[in-house]
Every structure is written in C-alpha cells, then in structure tokens.
Amino acid sequence: MHHTYQDRSIATLSDFGYTFVPIDSTVSPFLSLTQGTILLCHSECNKRVACRTFDFDQDTGQCRLWSDDLTTGGGVTIAGFCNATIGGGAQGLSSPWGLYITSNNTLYVTDYGTGRVQAYSSFSRSGITIAVISGNVEDVVVDSMGYVYTVAITTSQVFVSPSNTALPISVSYPCTLSTIYAPYGVAVDSYGNIYISDFYCHVVTKWAPNATIGIVVAGQLNTAGSSSQLLNGPKFIFLDDVHSTLYVVDYYNNRVQQFLLGTSKTGTTVAGGNGTGSGLNQLKTPAGIWVSGKDRSVYVGDQGNHRVMKWSVNALQGSIVAGVTGVMGSTSLLLNTPGDVALDPTETFIYVADYGNHRVQRFHL
C-alpha cells in the first residue's frame, strides 16, 4: 500500500521520559488502555484519527491517547489535513471559511471551495456532510432546535437544513427590503428571527419567521460609509441574544461595530477603527468574529494580518491570541488568511478557519 504524506505519522519521545503532564490540567485523555510496549501504544494512537499525542508508563503499561499535544502554544489541526493540502471526503477540506460550535461541542464548518457544510463531533477529524450547496458557502449558524443555516453567496440565499428551505425568495441589485444580493454573515435569535449581513448592500437585515420583507437593523440600504450609522462591506456577524446586541465585522472600514437592537442604528466601534494596519489597535480586512459569553470580549479573525485578535470591553487595543502579525505560513504557530473564529462552550479553546491552509486550527486560550 502506498501511503500519502498525510497518512504518515512521526513519534517523538519526551526528554523526560514517556509520560507528561499536559499544559492544560483540565483536559483528560480521550482513551486510556493497557499496552505491553510503547510501540503498541504508538500503534493505538496511529490508527485513530483523533489521536495527536500519546504517552506511556512503562512501569504500569498505561497508555493514554490525547486529541492534541498540549505542550506548546501552537495550534492543533481539528479538521482538514495538517500539511496545507486541499482535500475532500470526510477528512479533507478546501478553503474552510465559516465556523460554529454548539453547546454539545459539535463543530460546523463551511467548506468554501466545495460548497459543503461539514460537522465534526468531539475528538473526531472525520466530518459528516450536513449539506451540499451549489457554489461557494460563507457563514453557518445552528439554532436551539438543531436547524443549520448556511449562507450561499453564489446564489444569494440562506439555506436551512434539514428542512431544505431557502431565504430570501428573490435576488436583485440595488437591494430592496424584499431581496438580498450578496449575503455573507448569518445569525438566529431565540424567536427564530434571522439576521443577514449583505456585503454589497452595506446592511444587516432582520427576517421574522416566514417573512418576505426584511427590516434594516444596521447600516443604510445601498449606502456605504464610515460613520457610526453606516457600514462598508459587512462580513461575519455575531448575535449576543442575552444582551440584544449585534456585532458586525465592517470589512472595508477595518473595524467591528456593536449595535444595541431595538434602540438605534448607531454603532459603537469595539475593535479596530484606526485605519488599516498591523498595530495592536488596528485590523486589516477582518473577517470572522465571536464574542465571549463570559466577559463579552470580542475575538476577530484578522485576515489581512494572518492573526486572531482579542479585544476586551472598552480596550484601546487588542492582543494576539493566534498567528503572527504579517507572517503567513502553515506551521502550528502560523495562519494563512484566517476566516471565521469560534470559542468552545467552556471558552478554553478558540477555533480558527485557516482558509489558506485548508484546515481548522484549535488554540488554547
């Protein structure tokens, strides 16, 4: 049998022996078993897709398998191949872009290049295809009932699975309140209202269940601008349903805007907003966003800088949580054009759609 590069594995023994204490003491191995030798333990790890690291106690014969190495500050590949290779099937990805993580730790990924939506359970790098949509797919979100909403920018629609319905009913430009031209981000509230960002129409609209006309909640229809009431190319969005707050990545303005729903359409800049650049107080063509449920910190996929930034509430600048500013690469420490980001339910890890490397990376916060 001929093995491809991504099928091969390399084992490295620790300088301190066969066992170790992981950097995150709250994380447990996903499987413990007894094996007679370290080679047998290695074999157990090698035949499981989820296993990234193993350790072995030669006195007791205990073999522990881990889902990542837990020893460095680098990222761990959760979906896709580790070597920046384009792929398909259950384990490969082609330019992943949108991410969403549910309360049961299921990861949903939009695979931009193939039009697929993939779902990954905990400790598995084999994805299950939830939907296949014609053209390119952008954002994805899952509601409390388990319905999956996927943005298809090629056909200017939002598809809902498994009901196999689509919104809106028509497409036109210039945009109207009954149409969408270039949808990008999507969010759903507890009442079933759908929020859609329209990249070229410079607005975010709210669609009530079964509605045929949307309501503008951020920006001004068909009007681009940089004031607090305007947007210029809104991309991913995040809805804080508890605080009735909408966060919008304002792409061409290199900022993230916060809108208090039901009050006014005046936005507040909570990240970036200091022109395009690589400073800690700047963003460069940002894309993805996730907001902490614990402290409302804003995490941004800073696409043009190949990094992920964290902005605390009222902070004047952000901090880097993944990637290296201005350095594109495929090692565990580097990113290549990151798209969307997402936090796990415990907010221990951040997941990054590493678009240019065709993988999803997980970093310890």
Side-chain angles (χ1 to χ4, degrees):
M1 178 184 294
H2 174 71
H3 294 280
T4 61
Y5 178 82
Q6 59 263 20
D7 291 327
R8 301 172 187 172
S9 63
I10 298 173
T12 303
L13 297 181
S14 164
D15 291 337
F16 301 102
Y18 300 150
T19 61
F20 73 98
V21 177
I23 191 173
D24 178 10
S25 60
T26 66
V27 177
S28 301
F30 71 85
L31 181 63
S32 296
L33 61 160
T34 301
Q35 294 295 310
T37 68
I38 192 171
L39 290 178
L40 290 173
C41 186
H42 180 202
S43 176
E44 292 296 328
C45 179
N46 191 54
K47 68 186 182 183
R48 289 173 170 81
V49 173
C51 184
R52 302 287 296 157
T53 294
F54 69 91
D55 68 352
F56 178 73
D57 187 330
Q58 60 184 350
D59 293 328
T60 64
Q62 184 188 45
C63 171
R64 301 188 300 176
L65 308 184
W66 307 78
S67 62
D68 52 45
D69 62 25
L70 298 169
T71 59
T72 71
V76 175
T77 301
I78 298 301
F81 298 132
C82 306
N83 59 349
T85 300
I86 296 177
Q91 296 183 19
L93 291 171
S94 176
S95 306
W97 197 237
L99 300 180
Y100 190 82
I101 297 180
T102 63
S103 58
N104 68 353
N105 224 22
T106 299
L107 171 68
Y108 290 82
V109 182
T110 57
D111 201 22
Y112 184 90
T114 64
R116 298 181 302 166
V117 181
Q118 297 291 96
Y120 301 82
S121 61
S122 298
F123 305 121
S124 175
R125 283 176 57 194
S126 293
I128 298 173
T129 301
I130 300 300
V132 179
I133 299 168
S134 176
N136 302 125
V137 285
E138 300 280 1
D139 200 6
V140 62
V141 69
V142 183
D143 68 15
S144 60
M145 301 296 291
Y147 287 94
V148 181
Y149 301 75
T150 306
V151 176
I153 193 169
T154 305
T155 57
S156 296
Q157 291 178 304
V158 173
F159 286 86
V160 186
S161 306
S163 61
N164 295 321
T165 57
L167 181 81
I169 57 175
S170 59
V171 179
S172 70
Y173 185 83
C175 297
T176 70
L177 290 179
S178 61
T179 64
I180 291 290
Y181 179 66
Y184 204 106
V186 63
V188 182
D189 66 21
S190 56
Y191 297 99
N193 298 305
I194 304 173
Y195 299 77
I196 304 172
S197 63
D198 194 312
F199 186 77
Y200 288 117
C201 294
H202 312 295
V203 292
V204 179
T205 50
K206 172 184 173 181
W207 299 74
N210 303 314
T212 57
I213 296 178
I215 301 171
V216 174
V217 294
Q220 184 174 324
L221 199 64
N222 301 309
T223 304
S226 59
S227 71
S228 60
Q229 293 185 324
L230 296 177
L231 299 169
N232 191 353
K235 282 201 169 186
F236 287 110
I237 60 178
F238 186 93
L239 176 64
D240 180 353
D241 207 5
V242 174
H243 298 97
S244 297
T245 305
L246 181 71
Y247 297 82
V248 182
V249 174
D250 195 8
Y251 180 78
Y252 287 118
N253 286 322
N254 299 288
R255 66 186 183 182
V256 175
Q257 296 294 90
Q258 178 193 75
F259 296 88
L260 300 179
L261 298 174
T263 57
S264 71
K265 296 186 182 69
T266 300
T268 301
T269 302
V270 294
N274 296 297
T276 183
S278 59
L280 292 179
N281 67 337
Q282 294 177 304
L283 297 170
K284 183 179 180 181
T285 56
I289 184 171
W290 193 277
V291 179
S292 166
K294 294 180 178 179
D295 60 14
R296 305 181 76 181
S297 293
V298 177
Y299 294 83
V300 185
D302 194 8
Q303 175 186 334
N305 283 318
H306 306 292
R307 67 188 183 185
V308 176
M309 299 288 290
K310 173 186 176 182
W311 292 68
S312 301
V313 174
N314 299 322
L316 298 179
Q317 66 180 33
S319 59
I320 302 171
V321 297
V324 177
T325 300
V327 182
M328 178 179 64
S330 59
T331 69
S332 64
L333 293 172
L334 298 177
L335 300 168
N336 183 351
T337 318
D340 206 4
V341 297
L343 298 182
D344 76 301
T346 65
E347 301 194 5
T348 303
F349 299 101
I350 186 166
Y351 293 71
V352 183
D354 196 5
Y355 173 85
N357 287 322
H358 314 291
R359 65 187 183 184
V360 177
Q361 294 291 90
R362 186 177 74 181
F363 295 84
H364 191 280
L365 291 174

Tab-separated table of all heavy atoms in Angstrom, residues 1 18 26 43 85 104 110 117 130 142 164 175 191 193-194 202 211 268 310 314 317 324 331 334 348 359 361:
chain	number	residue	atom	x	y	z
A	1	MET	N	0.852	-1.192	0.000
A	1	MET	CA	0.000	0.000	0.000
A	1	MET	C	0.888	1.242	0.000
A	1	MET	O	1.851	1.341	0.758
A	1	MET	CB	-0.896	0.023	1.241
A	1	MET	CG	-1.771	1.267	1.320
A	1	MET	SD	-2.724	1.305	2.854
A	1	MET	CE	-3.786	-0.115	2.571
A	18	TYR	N	8.463	8.876	29.165
A	18	TYR	CA	7.327	8.534	28.322
A	18	TYR	C	6.020	9.192	28.752
A	18	TYR	O	5.047	9.161	28.016
A	18	TYR	CB	7.127	7.014	28.329
A	18	TYR	CG	8.310	6.232	27.817
A	18	TYR	CD1	8.564	4.960	28.312
A	18	TYR	CD2	9.152	6.738	26.844
A	18	TYR	CE1	9.644	4.214	27.853
A	18	TYR	CE2	10.233	6.005	26.380
A	18	TYR	CZ	10.487	4.749	26.889
A	18	TYR	OH	11.543	4.011	26.438
A	26	THR	N	-6.944	20.676	32.942
A	26	THR	CA	-8.370	20.343	32.931
A	26	THR	C	-8.717	19.360	31.818
A	26	THR	O	-9.818	18.825	31.789
A	26	THR	CB	-9.225	21.610	32.759
A	26	THR	OG1	-8.988	22.165	31.453
A	26	THR	CG2	-8.896	22.640	33.811
A	43	SER	N	0.920	2.372	18.118
A	43	SER	CA	0.012	1.803	17.126
A	43	SER	C	-1.432	2.178	17.405
A	43	SER	O	-2.205	2.474	16.490
A	43	SER	CB	0.171	0.278	17.104
A	43	SER	OG	-0.745	-0.320	16.215
A	85	THR	N	-2.778	20.817	2.636
A	85	THR	CA	-3.189	20.134	1.417
A	85	THR	C	-4.693	20.246	1.209
A	85	THR	O	-5.471	20.002	2.121
A	85	THR	CB	-2.804	18.639	1.472
A	85	THR	OG1	-1.392	18.533	1.620
A	85	THR	CG2	-3.217	17.915	0.199
A	104	ASN	N	-23.053	21.336	22.622
A	104	ASN	CA	-22.552	19.973	22.843
A	104	ASN	C	-21.196	19.751	22.173
A	104	ASN	O	-20.749	18.621	22.007
A	104	ASN	CB	-23.560	18.927	22.367
A	104	ASN	CG	-23.722	18.914	20.858
A	104	ASN	OD1	-23.178	19.778	20.152
A	104	ASN	ND2	-24.487	17.954	20.349
A	110	THR	N	-18.097	25.563	7.104
A	110	THR	CA	-18.451	25.730	5.697
A	110	THR	C	-17.182	25.591	4.869
A	110	THR	O	-16.193	26.284	5.104
A	110	THR	CB	-19.100	27.098	5.421
A	110	THR	OG1	-18.222	28.149	5.831
A	110	THR	CG2	-20.422	27.232	6.133
A	117	VAL	N	-21.209	21.750	3.901
A	117	VAL	CA	-21.209	22.049	5.330
A	117	VAL	C	-20.841	20.761	6.044
A	117	VAL	O	-21.529	19.749	5.907
A	117	VAL	CB	-22.581	22.544	5.816
A	117	VAL	CG1	-22.526	22.864	7.300
A	117	VAL	CG2	-23.021	23.763	5.029
A	130	ILE	N	-23.381	17.749	6.131
A	130	ILE	CA	-24.741	18.143	6.502
A	130	ILE	C	-25.515	18.649	5.282
A	130	ILE	O	-26.711	18.420	5.147
A	130	ILE	CB	-24.705	19.231	7.588
A	130	ILE	CG1	-23.984	18.712	8.830
A	130	ILE	CG2	-26.110	19.693	7.949
A	130	ILE	CD1	-24.614	17.492	9.460
A	142	VAL	N	-26.203	27.494	13.906
A	142	VAL	CA	-27.155	26.446	14.272
A	142	VAL	C	-28.052	26.988	15.376
A	142	VAL	O	-27.563	27.549	16.362
A	142	VAL	CB	-26.424	25.179	14.762
A	142	VAL	CG1	-27.422	24.070	15.068
A	142	VAL	CG2	-25.410	24.714	13.721
A	164	ASN	N	-34.505	22.035	4.210
A	164	ASN	CA	-34.240	22.292	2.797
A	164	ASN	C	-35.048	23.458	2.249
A	164	ASN	O	-35.606	23.401	1.139
A	164	ASN	CB	-34.489	21.025	1.961
A	164	ASN	CG	-33.530	19.910	2.311
A	164	ASN	OD1	-32.353	20.157	2.548
A	164	ASN	ND2	-34.039	18.688	2.370
A	175	CYS	N	-30.241	46.653	-3.803
A	175	CYS	CA	-31.038	45.845	-2.878
A	175	CYS	C	-32.340	46.527	-2.515
A	175	CYS	O	-32.444	47.759	-2.500
A	175	CYS	CB	-30.245	45.572	-1.605
A	175	CYS	SG	-28.757	44.610	-1.866
A	191	TYR	N	-36.150	33.669	19.032
A	191	TYR	CA	-37.513	33.738	18.491
A	191	TYR	C	-37.576	33.252	17.045
A	191	TYR	O	-38.640	33.300	16.424
A	191	TYR	CB	-38.049	35.165	18.566
A	191	TYR	CG	-38.174	35.683	19.977
A	191	TYR	CD1	-37.196	36.513	20.512
A	191	TYR	CD2	-39.255	35.328	20.786
A	191	TYR	CE1	-37.298	36.997	21.815
A	191	TYR	CE2	-39.370	35.798	22.089
A	191	TYR	CZ	-38.385	36.629	22.594
A	191	TYR	OH	-38.483	37.100	23.885
A	193	ASN	N	-35.929	34.685	14.535
A	193	ASN	CA	-35.606	35.751	13.598
A	193	ASN	C	-34.207	35.522	13.026
A	193	ASN	O	-33.277	35.174	13.757
A	193	ASN	CB	-35.652	37.110	14.293
A	193	ASN	CG	-37.030	37.445	14.828
A	193	ASN	OD1	-38.012	37.433	14.086
A	193	ASN	ND2	-37.114	37.736	16.115
A	194	ILE	N	-34.063	35.736	11.731
A	194	ILE	CA	-32.794	35.513	11.046
A	194	ILE	C	-32.169	36.868	10.705
A	194	ILE	O	-32.840	37.746	10.155
A	194	ILE	CB	-32.989	34.688	9.763
A	194	ILE	CG1	-33.677	33.360	10.088
A	194	ILE	CG2	-31.654	34.443	9.068
A	194	ILE	CD1	-34.066	32.567	8.860
A	202	HIS	N	-24.451	46.776	2.109
A	202	HIS	CA	-23.936	47.508	3.269
A	202	HIS	C	-24.920	47.586	4.437
A	202	HIS	O	-24.951	48.578	5.166
A	202	HIS	CB	-23.501	48.927	2.856
A	202	HIS	CG	-22.635	48.943	1.637
A	202	HIS	ND1	-21.382	48.378	1.608
A	202	HIS	CD2	-22.863	49.428	0.375
A	202	HIS	CE1	-20.859	48.526	0.397
A	202	HIS	NE2	-21.742	49.139	-0.377
A	211	ALA	N	-41.245	35.615	6.947
A	211	ALA	CA	-41.362	36.962	6.392
A	211	ALA	C	-40.866	37.003	4.949
A	211	ALA	O	-39.981	36.245	4.560
A	211	ALA	CB	-40.580	37.948	7.241
A	268	THR	N	-21.234	51.347	17.706
A	268	THR	CA	-20.064	51.685	18.512
A	268	THR	C	-18.913	50.780	18.102
A	268	THR	O	-19.081	49.565	18.013
A	268	THR	CB	-20.357	51.490	20.011
A	268	THR	OG1	-21.467	52.317	20.389
A	268	THR	CG2	-19.140	51.851	20.850
A	310	LYS	N	-7.910	39.497	20.166
A	310	LYS	CA	-8.899	39.594	21.238
A	310	LYS	C	-8.957	41.041	21.712
A	310	LYS	O	-7.928	41.650	22.035
A	310	LYS	CB	-8.520	38.692	22.417
A	310	LYS	CG	-9.418	38.870	23.640
A	310	LYS	CD	-8.910	38.058	24.833
A	310	LYS	CE	-9.755	38.317	26.081
A	310	LYS	NZ	-9.241	37.556	27.251
A	314	ASN	N	-14.082	47.884	26.176
A	314	ASN	CA	-13.518	49.237	26.346
A	314	ASN	C	-12.006	49.309	26.148
A	314	ASN	O	-11.373	50.316	26.478
A	314	ASN	CB	-13.867	49.817	27.720
A	314	ASN	CG	-15.360	49.963	27.932
A	314	ASN	OD1	-16.097	50.323	27.007
A	314	ASN	ND2	-15.833	49.677	29.130
A	317	GLN	N	-6.774	48.768	22.549
A	317	GLN	CA	-6.068	47.929	21.599
A	317	GLN	C	-6.328	46.465	21.933
A	317	GLN	O	-6.783	46.138	23.022
A	317	GLN	CB	-4.566	48.206	21.610
A	317	GLN	CG	-3.873	47.838	22.909
A	317	GLN	CD	-2.376	48.129	22.866
A	317	GLN	OE1	-1.930	49.080	22.227
A	317	GLN	NE2	-1.592	47.303	23.535
A	324	VAL	N	0.932	35.085	13.818
A	324	VAL	CA	1.988	36.084	13.959
A	324	VAL	C	1.709	37.207	12.974
A	324	VAL	O	1.480	36.949	11.780
A	324	VAL	CB	3.381	35.474	13.685
A	324	VAL	CG1	4.469	36.538	13.771
A	324	VAL	CG2	3.669	34.341	14.664
A	331	THR	N	2.848	26.295	9.579
A	331	THR	CA	3.267	25.591	10.782
A	331	THR	C	2.178	25.692	11.836
A	331	THR	O	1.169	26.390	11.652
A	331	THR	CB	4.576	26.184	11.338
A	331	THR	OG1	4.312	27.506	11.853
A	331	THR	CG2	5.644	26.264	10.268
A	334	LEU	N	1.488	29.347	12.839
A	334	LEU	CA	1.136	30.341	11.824
A	334	LEU	C	-0.214	30.047	11.178
A	334	LEU	O	-0.719	28.928	11.228
A	334	LEU	CB	2.223	30.391	10.746
A	334	LEU	CG	3.624	30.812	11.210
A	334	LEU	CD1	4.603	30.754	10.048
A	334	LEU	CD2	3.600	32.201	11.836
A	348	THR	N	-12.305	27.549	26.645
A	348	THR	CA	-10.932	27.119	26.877
A	348	THR	C	-10.118	27.207	25.593
A	348	THR	O	-8.914	27.481	25.625
A	348	THR	CB	-10.905	25.673	27.398
A	348	THR	OG1	-11.681	25.586	28.591
A	348	THR	CG2	-9.489	25.213	27.700
A	359	ARG	N	-7.571	24.014	6.524
A	359	ARG	CA	-7.691	23.290	7.782
A	359	ARG	C	-8.379	24.177	8.809
A	359	ARG	O	-8.506	25.386	8.633
A	359	ARG	CB	-6.294	22.895	8.311
A	359	ARG	CG	-5.430	24.100	8.676
A	359	ARG	CD	-3.993	23.713	9.026
A	359	ARG	NE	-3.227	24.902	9.441
A	359	ARG	CZ	-1.934	24.890	9.735
A	359	ARG	NH1	-1.246	23.767	9.639
A	359	ARG	NH2	-1.322	26.007	10.114
A	361	GLN	N	-7.854	25.133	12.800
A	361	GLN	CA	-6.892	25.044	13.877
A	361	GLN	C	-7.552	25.363	15.221
A	361	GLN	O	-8.453	26.207	15.291
A	361	GLN	CB	-5.723	26.014	13.669
A	361	GLN	CG	-4.849	25.699	12.459
A	361	GLN	CD	-4.042	24.425	12.642
A	361	GLN	OE1	-4.510	23.344	12.282
A	361	GLN	NE2	-2.850	24.547	13.196
